[in-house]
Amino acid sequence: MEDYAKAIFGLGRDSGNGQASVGDLASRLGVTPGSASAMVKRLVAQGLVVHQRYRGVSLTPDGEALALAVIRRHRLIETFLAEELGMPWDQVHHEADVIEHVLSDTVVDLIAAKLGDPTHDPHGDPIPARDLTMDEPRTTTLWDAPDGASMLFASVSDSDPTMLRHLGEHGIRPGTRIRVVKHEPFDGPVRIRVGRSAHSIGPSLARSMRLCDDGDAAE
Ligand SMILES: [Zn+2]
């Protein structure tokens, strides 16, 4: 149930209107459309989700609170594994996906206190505060950023370890300044500069990397 709430939250953010289709939900969770729609029915019965025909599913305020609580746990665990235990940033997501469902809120709050109430996880994503408010900076993907822009690398999708390793090897981490040099035509790579080095970022990675202006930069 927590995974569904989290997935609907993420898909709703991606779509921009809080709605997720049952098909997208099934593919994000790696389940069949049949089992996704059975689970959606249970979530509707529990008052966590609203299902509108032809529009998809969206979270109720209770559902959103559940999603934010899981996201807080997930991102705090990732930060703890990376900062306190020294686990590489491309490995923490998978571990957190497992541990997030078994830790109590008491332990999660202790982890937050131990880390000094961090505001961002190792991938640059904002961590919801204890009251479940979350400060989400306005970002754009590298793919959509205009040539000539100079922006800060805010975050990257944490679900693909190979992408994270690739970026890490080139010293590209949240907070790094990125200059967008040129989008090569015909869906070619995006040429960027980081410090003095030049990099070529392929379309799928460029779509997963989010950039923000300095004003509300990730930490
Ligand atoms: Zn993660």
mmCIF file with all atom_site columns, all heavy atoms in Angstrom, residues 51-73:
data_model
loop_
_atom_site.group_PDB
_atom_site.id
_atom_site.type_symbol
_atom_site.label_atom_id
_atom_site.label_alt_id
_atom_site.label_comp_id
_atom_site.label_asym_id
_atom_site.label_entity_id
_atom_site.label_seq_id
_atom_site.pdbx_PDB_ins_code
_atom_site.Cartn_x
_atom_site.Cartn_y
_atom_site.Cartn_z
_atom_site.occupancy
_atom_site.B_iso_or_equiv
_atom_site.pdbx_formal_charge
_atom_site.auth_seq_id
_atom_site.auth_comp_id
_atom_site.auth_asym_id
_atom_site.auth_atom_id
_atom_site.pdbx_PDB_model_num
ATOM 1   N N   . HIS A 1 51 ? -10.677 7.355  -7.490  1.00 0.00 ? 51 HIS A N   1
ATOM 2   C CA  . HIS A 1 51 ? -10.536 6.823  -8.846  1.00 0.00 ? 51 HIS A CA  1
ATOM 3   C C   . HIS A 1 51 ? -11.653 7.372  -9.713  1.00 0.00 ? 51 HIS A C   1
ATOM 4   O O   . HIS A 1 51 ? -12.816 7.067  -9.493  1.00 0.00 ? 51 HIS A O   1
ATOM 5   C CB  . HIS A 1 51 ? -10.585 5.284  -8.825  1.00 0.00 ? 51 HIS A CB  1
ATOM 6   C CG  . HIS A 1 51 ? -10.206 4.675  -10.142 1.00 0.00 ? 51 HIS A CG  1
ATOM 7   N ND1 . HIS A 1 51 ? -10.253 3.334  -10.389 1.00 0.00 ? 51 HIS A ND1 1
ATOM 8   C CD2 . HIS A 1 51 ? -9.756  5.235  -11.283 1.00 0.00 ? 51 HIS A CD2 1
ATOM 9   C CE1 . HIS A 1 51 ? -9.859  3.087  -11.642 1.00 0.00 ? 51 HIS A CE1 1
ATOM 10  N NE2 . HIS A 1 51 ? -9.550  4.234  -12.199 1.00 0.00 ? 51 HIS A NE2 1
ATOM 11  N N   . GLN A 1 52 ? -11.283 8.226  -10.689 1.00 0.00 ? 52 GLN A N   1
ATOM 12  C CA  . GLN A 1 52 ? -12.290 8.772  -11.592 1.00 0.00 ? 52 GLN A CA  1
ATOM 13  C C   . GLN A 1 52 ? -12.129 8.116  -12.942 1.00 0.00 ? 52 GLN A C   1
ATOM 14  O O   . GLN A 1 52 ? -11.036 8.093  -13.509 1.00 0.00 ? 52 GLN A O   1
ATOM 15  C CB  . GLN A 1 52 ? -12.095 10.284 -11.752 1.00 0.00 ? 52 GLN A CB  1
ATOM 16  C CG  . GLN A 1 52 ? -12.486 11.066 -10.524 1.00 0.00 ? 52 GLN A CG  1
ATOM 17  C CD  . GLN A 1 52 ? -12.040 12.505 -10.664 1.00 0.00 ? 52 GLN A CD  1
ATOM 18  O OE1 . GLN A 1 52 ? -10.859 12.810 -10.545 1.00 0.00 ? 52 GLN A OE1 1
ATOM 19  N NE2 . GLN A 1 52 ? -12.981 13.380 -10.929 1.00 0.00 ? 52 GLN A NE2 1
ATOM 20  N N   . ARG A 1 53 ? -13.212 7.607  -13.438 1.00 0.00 ? 53 ARG A N   1
ATOM 21  C CA  . ARG A 1 53 ? -13.189 6.959  -14.744 1.00 0.00 ? 53 ARG A CA  1
ATOM 22  C C   . ARG A 1 53 ? -12.665 7.934  -15.801 1.00 0.00 ? 53 ARG A C   1
ATOM 23  O O   . ARG A 1 53 ? -13.041 9.102  -15.805 1.00 0.00 ? 53 ARG A O   1
ATOM 24  C CB  . ARG A 1 53 ? -14.617 6.544  -15.083 1.00 0.00 ? 53 ARG A CB  1
ATOM 25  C CG  . ARG A 1 53 ? -14.730 5.566  -16.228 1.00 0.00 ? 53 ARG A CG  1
ATOM 26  C CD  . ARG A 1 53 ? -16.197 5.227  -16.433 1.00 0.00 ? 53 ARG A CD  1
ATOM 27  N NE  . ARG A 1 53 ? -16.553 4.028  -15.688 1.00 0.00 ? 53 ARG A NE  1
ATOM 28  C CZ  . ARG A 1 53 ? -16.556 2.808  -16.255 1.00 0.00 ? 53 ARG A CZ  1
ATOM 29  N NH1 . ARG A 1 53 ? -16.229 2.664  -17.518 1.00 0.00 ? 53 ARG A NH1 1
ATOM 30  N NH2 . ARG A 1 53 ? -16.900 1.759  -15.551 1.00 0.00 ? 53 ARG A NH2 1
ATOM 31  N N   . TYR A 1 54 ? -11.812 7.464  -16.660 1.00 0.00 ? 54 TYR A N   1
ATOM 32  C CA  . TYR A 1 54 ? -11.187 8.235  -17.749 1.00 0.00 ? 54 TYR A CA  1
ATOM 33  C C   . TYR A 1 54 ? -10.172 9.282  -17.274 1.00 0.00 ? 54 TYR A C   1
ATOM 34  O O   . TYR A 1 54 ? -9.529  9.933  -18.077 1.00 0.00 ? 54 TYR A O   1
ATOM 35  C CB  . TYR A 1 54 ? -12.229 8.940  -18.646 1.00 0.00 ? 54 TYR A CB  1
ATOM 36  C CG  . TYR A 1 54 ? -13.272 8.007  -19.186 1.00 0.00 ? 54 TYR A CG  1
ATOM 37  C CD1 . TYR A 1 54 ? -14.620 8.214  -18.929 1.00 0.00 ? 54 TYR A CD1 1
ATOM 38  C CD2 . TYR A 1 54 ? -12.901 6.885  -19.923 1.00 0.00 ? 54 TYR A CD2 1
ATOM 39  C CE1 . TYR A 1 54 ? -15.579 7.340  -19.404 1.00 0.00 ? 54 TYR A CE1 1
ATOM 40  C CE2 . TYR A 1 54 ? -13.839 6.000  -20.403 1.00 0.00 ? 54 TYR A CE2 1
ATOM 41  C CZ  . TYR A 1 54 ? -15.184 6.228  -20.137 1.00 0.00 ? 54 TYR A CZ  1
ATOM 42  O OH  . TYR A 1 54 ? -16.128 5.354  -20.601 1.00 0.00 ? 54 TYR A OH  1
ATOM 43  N N   . ARG A 1 55 ? -10.055 9.502  -15.974 1.00 0.00 ? 55 ARG A N   1
ATOM 44  C CA  . ARG A 1 55 ? -9.080  10.497 -15.527 1.00 0.00 ? 55 ARG A CA  1
ATOM 45  C C   . ARG A 1 55 ? -7.933  9.834  -14.779 1.00 0.00 ? 55 ARG A C   1
ATOM 46  O O   . ARG A 1 55 ? -6.843  10.355 -14.729 1.00 0.00 ? 55 ARG A O   1
ATOM 47  C CB  . ARG A 1 55 ? -9.754  11.530 -14.608 1.00 0.00 ? 55 ARG A CB  1
ATOM 48  C CG  . ARG A 1 55 ? -10.651 12.482 -15.378 1.00 0.00 ? 55 ARG A CG  1
ATOM 49  C CD  . ARG A 1 55 ? -10.917 13.733 -14.603 1.00 0.00 ? 55 ARG A CD  1
ATOM 50  N NE  . ARG A 1 55 ? -9.708  14.524 -14.398 1.00 0.00 ? 55 ARG A NE  1
ATOM 51  C CZ  . ARG A 1 55 ? -9.629  15.533 -13.550 1.00 0.00 ? 55 ARG A CZ  1
ATOM 52  N NH1 . ARG A 1 55 ? -10.670 15.868 -12.821 1.00 0.00 ? 55 ARG A NH1 1
ATOM 53  N NH2 . ARG A 1 55 ? -8.505  16.204 -13.408 1.00 0.00 ? 55 ARG A NH2 1
ATOM 54  N N   . GLY A 1 56 ? -8.205  8.700  -14.169 1.00 0.00 ? 56 GLY A N   1
ATOM 55  C CA  . GLY A 1 56 ? -7.157  8.002  -13.434 1.00 0.00 ? 56 GLY A CA  1
ATOM 56  C C   . GLY A 1 56 ? -7.328  8.144  -11.942 1.00 0.00 ? 56 GLY A C   1
ATOM 57  O O   . GLY A 1 56 ? -8.399  8.509  -11.454 1.00 0.00 ? 56 GLY A O   1
ATOM 58  N N   . VAL A 1 57 ? -6.265  7.839  -11.205 1.00 0.00 ? 57 VAL A N   1
ATOM 59  C CA  . VAL A 1 57 ? -6.340  7.850  -9.752  1.00 0.00 ? 57 VAL A CA  1
ATOM 60  C C   . VAL A 1 57 ? -5.541  9.024  -9.212  1.00 0.00 ? 57 VAL A C   1
ATOM 61  O O   . VAL A 1 57 ? -4.569  9.473  -9.807  1.00 0.00 ? 57 VAL A O   1
ATOM 62  C CB  . VAL A 1 57 ? -5.806  6.526  -9.143  1.00 0.00 ? 57 VAL A CB  1
ATOM 63  C CG1 . VAL A 1 57 ? -6.685  5.364  -9.567  1.00 0.00 ? 57 VAL A CG1 1
ATOM 64  C CG2 . VAL A 1 57 ? -4.375  6.272  -9.543  1.00 0.00 ? 57 VAL A CG2 1
ATOM 65  N N   . SER A 1 58 ? -6.004  9.537  -8.068  1.00 0.00 ? 58 SER A N   1
ATOM 66  C CA  . SER A 1 58 ? -5.262  10.588 -7.377  1.00 0.00 ? 58 SER A CA  1
ATOM 67  C C   . SER A 1 58 ? -5.368  10.334 -5.882  1.00 0.00 ? 58 SER A C   1
ATOM 68  O O   . SER A 1 58 ? -6.259  9.608  -5.421  1.00 0.00 ? 58 SER A O   1
ATOM 69  C CB  . SER A 1 58 ? -5.812  11.966 -7.745  1.00 0.00 ? 58 SER A CB  1
ATOM 70  O OG  . SER A 1 58 ? -7.177  12.033 -7.417  1.00 0.00 ? 58 SER A OG  1
ATOM 71  N N   . LEU A 1 59 ? -4.456  10.911 -5.124  1.00 0.00 ? 59 LEU A N   1
ATOM 72  C CA  . LEU A 1 59 ? -4.432  10.687 -3.673  1.00 0.00 ? 59 LEU A CA  1
ATOM 73  C C   . LEU A 1 59 ? -5.390  11.637 -2.960  1.00 0.00 ? 59 LEU A C   1
ATOM 74  O O   . LEU A 1 59 ? -5.518  12.802 -3.334  1.00 0.00 ? 59 LEU A O   1
ATOM 75  C CB  . LEU A 1 59 ? -3.010  10.918 -3.141  1.00 0.00 ? 59 LEU A CB  1
ATOM 76  C CG  . LEU A 1 59 ? -1.932  9.945  -3.633  1.00 0.00 ? 59 LEU A CG  1
ATOM 77  C CD1 . LEU A 1 59 ? -0.546  10.450 -3.231  1.00 0.00 ? 59 LEU A CD1 1
ATOM 78  C CD2 . LEU A 1 59 ? -2.169  8.547  -3.065  1.00 0.00 ? 59 LEU A CD2 1
ATOM 79  N N   . THR A 1 60 ? -6.058  11.139 -1.927  1.00 0.00 ? 60 THR A N   1
ATOM 80  C CA  . THR A 1 60 ? -6.808  12.013 -1.026  1.00 0.00 ? 60 THR A CA  1
ATOM 81  C C   . THR A 1 60 ? -5.778  12.650 -0.081  1.00 0.00 ? 60 THR A C   1
ATOM 82  O O   . THR A 1 60 ? -4.608  12.243 -0.063  1.00 0.00 ? 60 THR A O   1
ATOM 83  C CB  . THR A 1 60 ? -7.807  11.197 -0.181  1.00 0.00 ? 60 THR A CB  1
ATOM 84  O OG1 . THR A 1 60 ? -7.042  10.295 0.642   1.00 0.00 ? 60 THR A OG1 1
ATOM 85  C CG2 . THR A 1 60 ? -8.760  10.385 -1.060  1.00 0.00 ? 60 THR A CG2 1
ATOM 86  N N   . PRO A 1 61 ? -6.193  13.635 0.742   1.00 0.00 ? 61 PRO A N   1
ATOM 87  C CA  . PRO A 1 61 ? -5.231  14.189 1.715   1.00 0.00 ? 61 PRO A CA  1
ATOM 88  C C   . PRO A 1 61 ? -4.599  13.101 2.601   1.00 0.00 ? 61 PRO A C   1
ATOM 89  O O   . PRO A 1 61 ? -3.389  13.142 2.867   1.00 0.00 ? 61 PRO A O   1
ATOM 90  C CB  . PRO A 1 61 ? -6.087  15.166 2.526   1.00 0.00 ? 61 PRO A CB  1
ATOM 91  C CG  . PRO A 1 61 ? -7.117  15.640 1.540   1.00 0.00 ? 61 PRO A CG  1
ATOM 92  C CD  . PRO A 1 61 ? -7.445  14.422 0.697   1.00 0.00 ? 61 PRO A CD  1
ATOM 93  N N   . ASP A 1 62 ? -5.377  12.103 3.024   1.00 0.00 ? 62 ASP A N   1
ATOM 94  C CA  . ASP A 1 62 ? -4.803  11.009 3.826   1.00 0.00 ? 62 ASP A CA  1
ATOM 95  C C   . ASP A 1 62 ? -3.789  10.197 3.012   1.00 0.00 ? 62 ASP A C   1
ATOM 96  O O   . ASP A 1 62 ? -2.743  9.797  3.526   1.00 0.00 ? 62 ASP A O   1
ATOM 97  C CB  . ASP A 1 62 ? -5.903  10.047 4.316   1.00 0.00 ? 62 ASP A CB  1
ATOM 98  C CG  . ASP A 1 62 ? -6.641  10.593 5.528   1.00 0.00 ? 62 ASP A CG  1
ATOM 99  O OD1 . ASP A 1 62 ? -6.204  11.650 6.065   1.00 0.00 ? 62 ASP A OD1 1
ATOM 100 O OD2 . ASP A 1 62 ? -7.640  9.977  5.932   1.00 0.00 ? 62 ASP A OD2 1
ATOM 101 N N   . GLY A 1 63 ? -4.127  9.964  1.737   1.00 0.00 ? 63 GLY A N   1
ATOM 102 C CA  . GLY A 1 63 ? -3.218  9.216  0.869   1.00 0.00 ? 63 GLY A CA  1
ATOM 103 C C   . GLY A 1 63 ? -1.928  9.980  0.648   1.00 0.00 ? 63 GLY A C   1
ATOM 104 O O   . GLY A 1 63 ? -0.835  9.403  0.640   1.00 0.00 ? 63 GLY A O   1
ATOM 105 N N   . GLU A 1 64 ? -2.051  11.301 0.483   1.00 0.00 ? 64 GLU A N   1
ATOM 106 C CA  . GLU A 1 64 ? -0.856  12.116 0.271   1.00 0.00 ? 64 GLU A CA  1
ATOM 107 C C   . GLU A 1 64 ? 0.030   12.120 1.520   1.00 0.00 ? 64 GLU A C   1
ATOM 108 O O   . GLU A 1 64 ? 1.263   12.059 1.419   1.00 0.00 ? 64 GLU A O   1
ATOM 109 C CB  . GLU A 1 64 ? -1.250  13.545 -0.116  1.00 0.00 ? 64 GLU A CB  1
ATOM 110 C CG  . GLU A 1 64 ? -0.025  14.407 -0.363  1.00 0.00 ? 64 GLU A CG  1
ATOM 111 C CD  . GLU A 1 64 ? -0.276  15.568 -1.319  1.00 0.00 ? 64 GLU A CD  1
ATOM 112 O OE1 . GLU A 1 64 ? -0.883  15.325 -2.381  1.00 0.00 ? 64 GLU A OE1 1
ATOM 113 O OE2 . GLU A 1 64 ? 0.128   16.687 -0.993  1.00 0.00 ? 64 GLU A OE2 1
ATOM 114 N N   . ALA A 1 65 ? -0.603  12.153 2.696   1.00 0.00 ? 65 ALA A N   1
ATOM 115 C CA  . ALA A 1 65 ? 0.177   12.116 3.940   1.00 0.00 ? 65 ALA A CA  1
ATOM 116 C C   . ALA A 1 65 ? 0.925   10.788 4.055   1.00 0.00 ? 65 ALA A C   1
ATOM 117 O O   . ALA A 1 65 ? 2.093   10.752 4.465   1.00 0.00 ? 65 ALA A O   1
ATOM 118 C CB  . ALA A 1 65 ? -0.743  12.327 5.149   1.00 0.00 ? 65 ALA A CB  1
ATOM 119 N N   . LEU A 1 66 ? 0.261   9.693  3.668   1.00 0.00 ? 66 LEU A N   1
ATOM 120 C CA  . LEU A 1 66 ? 0.926   8.388  3.704   1.00 0.00 ? 66 LEU A CA  1
ATOM 121 C C   . LEU A 1 66 ? 2.120   8.376  2.736   1.00 0.00 ? 66 LEU A C   1
ATOM 122 O O   . LEU A 1 66 ? 3.220   7.948  3.097   1.00 0.00 ? 66 LEU A O   1
ATOM 123 C CB  . LEU A 1 66 ? -0.068  7.273  3.319   1.00 0.00 ? 66 LEU A CB  1
ATOM 124 C CG  . LEU A 1 66 ? 0.530   5.862  3.208   1.00 0.00 ? 66 LEU A CG  1
ATOM 125 C CD1 . LEU A 1 66 ? 0.989   5.365  4.579   1.00 0.00 ? 66 LEU A CD1 1
ATOM 126 C CD2 . LEU A 1 66 ? -0.480  4.875  2.601   1.00 0.00 ? 66 LEU A CD2 1
ATOM 127 N N   . ALA A 1 67 ? 1.900   8.903  1.523   1.00 0.00 ? 67 ALA A N   1
ATOM 128 C CA  . ALA A 1 67 ? 2.988   8.934  0.533   1.00 0.00 ? 67 ALA A CA  1
ATOM 129 C C   . ALA A 1 67 ? 4.164   9.755  1.045   1.00 0.00 ? 67 ALA A C   1
ATOM 130 O O   . ALA A 1 67 ? 5.323   9.336  0.953   1.00 0.00 ? 67 ALA A O   1
ATOM 131 C CB  . ALA A 1 67 ? 2.472   9.508  -0.791  1.00 0.00 ? 67 ALA A CB  1
ATOM 132 N N   . LEU A 1 68 ? 3.876   10.927 1.599   1.00 0.00 ? 68 LEU A N   1
ATOM 133 C CA  . LEU A 1 68 ? 4.961   11.796 2.067   1.00 0.00 ? 68 LEU A CA  1
ATOM 134 C C   . LEU A 1 68 ? 5.717   11.166 3.232   1.00 0.00 ? 68 LEU A C   1
ATOM 135 O O   . LEU A 1 68 ? 6.933   11.324 3.357   1.00 0.00 ? 68 LEU A O   1
ATOM 136 C CB  . LEU A 1 68 ? 4.411   13.174 2.454   1.00 0.00 ? 68 LEU A CB  1
ATOM 137 C CG  . LEU A 1 68 ? 4.080   14.072 1.253   1.00 0.00 ? 68 LEU A CG  1
ATOM 138 C CD1 . LEU A 1 68 ? 3.202   15.243 1.672   1.00 0.00 ? 68 LEU A CD1 1
ATOM 139 C CD2 . LEU A 1 68 ? 5.362   14.583 0.591   1.00 0.00 ? 68 LEU A CD2 1
ATOM 140 N N   . ALA A 1 69 ? 4.995   10.434 4.089   1.00 0.00 ? 69 ALA A N   1
ATOM 141 C CA  . ALA A 1 69 ? 5.661   9.765  5.212   1.00 0.00 ? 69 ALA A CA  1
ATOM 142 C C   . ALA A 1 69 ? 6.627   8.696  4.695   1.00 0.00 ? 69 ALA A C   1
ATOM 143 O O   . ALA A 1 69 ? 7.741   8.546  5.208   1.00 0.00 ? 69 ALA A O   1
ATOM 144 C CB  . ALA A 1 69 ? 4.619   9.148  6.153   1.00 0.00 ? 69 ALA A CB  1
ATOM 145 N N   . VAL A 1 70 ? 6.208   7.950  3.667   1.00 0.00 ? 70 VAL A N   1
ATOM 146 C CA  . VAL A 1 70 ? 7.099   6.921  3.116   1.00 0.00 ? 70 VAL A CA  1
ATOM 147 C C   . VAL A 1 70 ? 8.277   7.569  2.397   1.00 0.00 ? 70 VAL A C   1
ATOM 148 O O   . VAL A 1 70 ? 9.411   7.102  2.499   1.00 0.00 ? 70 VAL A O   1
ATOM 149 C CB  . VAL A 1 70 ? 6.356   5.989  2.121   1.00 0.00 ? 70 VAL A CB  1
ATOM 150 C CG1 . VAL A 1 70 ? 7.244   4.827  1.735   1.00 0.00 ? 70 VAL A CG1 1
ATOM 151 C CG2 . VAL A 1 70 ? 5.073   5.487  2.715   1.00 0.00 ? 70 VAL A CG2 1
ATOM 152 N N   . ILE A 1 71 ? 8.003   8.651  1.677   1.00 0.00 ? 71 ILE A N   1
ATOM 153 C CA  . ILE A 1 71 ? 9.081   9.353  0.965   1.00 0.00 ? 71 ILE A CA  1
ATOM 154 C C   . ILE A 1 71 ? 10.094  9.902  1.971   1.00 0.00 ? 71 ILE A C   1
ATOM 155 O O   . ILE A 1 71 ? 11.305  9.836  1.764   1.00 0.00 ? 71 ILE A O   1
ATOM 156 C CB  . ILE A 1 71 ? 8.492   10.477 0.076   1.00 0.00 ? 71 ILE A CB  1
ATOM 157 C CG1 . ILE A 1 71 ? 7.715   9.849  -1.093  1.00 0.00 ? 71 ILE A CG1 1
ATOM 158 C CG2 . ILE A 1 71 ? 9.583   11.408 -0.427  1.00 0.00 ? 71 ILE A CG2 1
ATOM 159 C CD1 . ILE A 1 71 ? 6.842   10.832 -1.853  1.00 0.00 ? 71 ILE A CD1 1
ATOM 160 N N   . ARG A 1 72 ? 9.582   10.429 3.101   1.00 0.00 ? 72 ARG A N   1
ATOM 161 C CA  . ARG A 1 72 ? 10.493  10.924 4.146   1.00 0.00 ? 72 ARG A CA  1
ATOM 162 C C   . ARG A 1 72 ? 11.378  9.793  4.660   1.00 0.00 ? 72 ARG A C   1
ATOM 163 O O   . ARG A 1 72 ? 12.589  9.912  4.763   1.00 0.00 ? 72 ARG A O   1
ATOM 164 C CB  . ARG A 1 72 ? 9.668   11.527 5.298   1.00 0.00 ? 72 ARG A CB  1
ATOM 165 C CG  . ARG A 1 72 ? 10.484  11.886 6.534   1.00 0.00 ? 72 ARG A CG  1
ATOM 166 C CD  . ARG A 1 72 ? 9.600   12.619 7.549   1.00 0.00 ? 72 ARG A CD  1
ATOM 167 N NE  . ARG A 1 72 ? 10.168  12.587 8.899   1.00 0.00 ? 72 ARG A NE  1
ATOM 168 C CZ  . ARG A 1 72 ? 11.120  13.419 9.325   1.00 0.00 ? 72 ARG A CZ  1
ATOM 169 N NH1 . ARG A 1 72 ? 11.601  14.328 8.507   1.00 0.00 ? 72 ARG A NH1 1
ATOM 170 N NH2 . ARG A 1 72 ? 11.589  13.327 10.547  1.00 0.00 ? 72 ARG A NH2 1
ATOM 171 N N   . ARG A 1 73 ? 10.766  8.646  4.947   1.00 0.00 ? 73 ARG A N   1
ATOM 172 C CA  . ARG A 1 73 ? 11.539  7.495  5.436   1.00 0.00 ? 73 ARG A CA  1
ATOM 173 C C   . ARG A 1 73 ? 12.576  7.068  4.401   1.00 0.00 ? 73 ARG A C   1
ATOM 174 O O   . ARG A 1 73 ? 13.741  6.866  4.726   1.00 0.00 ? 73 ARG A O   1
ATOM 175 C CB  . ARG A 1 73 ? 10.587  6.319  5.718   1.00 0.00 ? 73 ARG A CB  1
ATOM 176 C CG  . ARG A 1 73 ? 10.212  6.195  7.180   1.00 0.00 ? 73 ARG A CG  1
ATOM 177 C CD  . ARG A 1 73 ? 9.343   4.970  7.403   1.00 0.00 ? 73 ARG A CD  1
ATOM 178 N NE  . ARG A 1 73 ? 7.943   5.295  7.252   1.00 0.00 ? 73 ARG A NE  1
ATOM 179 C CZ  . ARG A 1 73 ? 7.013   4.447  6.855   1.00 0.00 ? 73 ARG A CZ  1
ATOM 180 N NH1 . ARG A 1 73 ? 7.328   3.204  6.532   1.00 0.00 ? 73 ARG A NH1 1
ATOM 181 N NH2 . ARG A 1 73 ? 5.766   4.827  6.761   1.00 0.00 ? 73 ARG A NH2 1
#
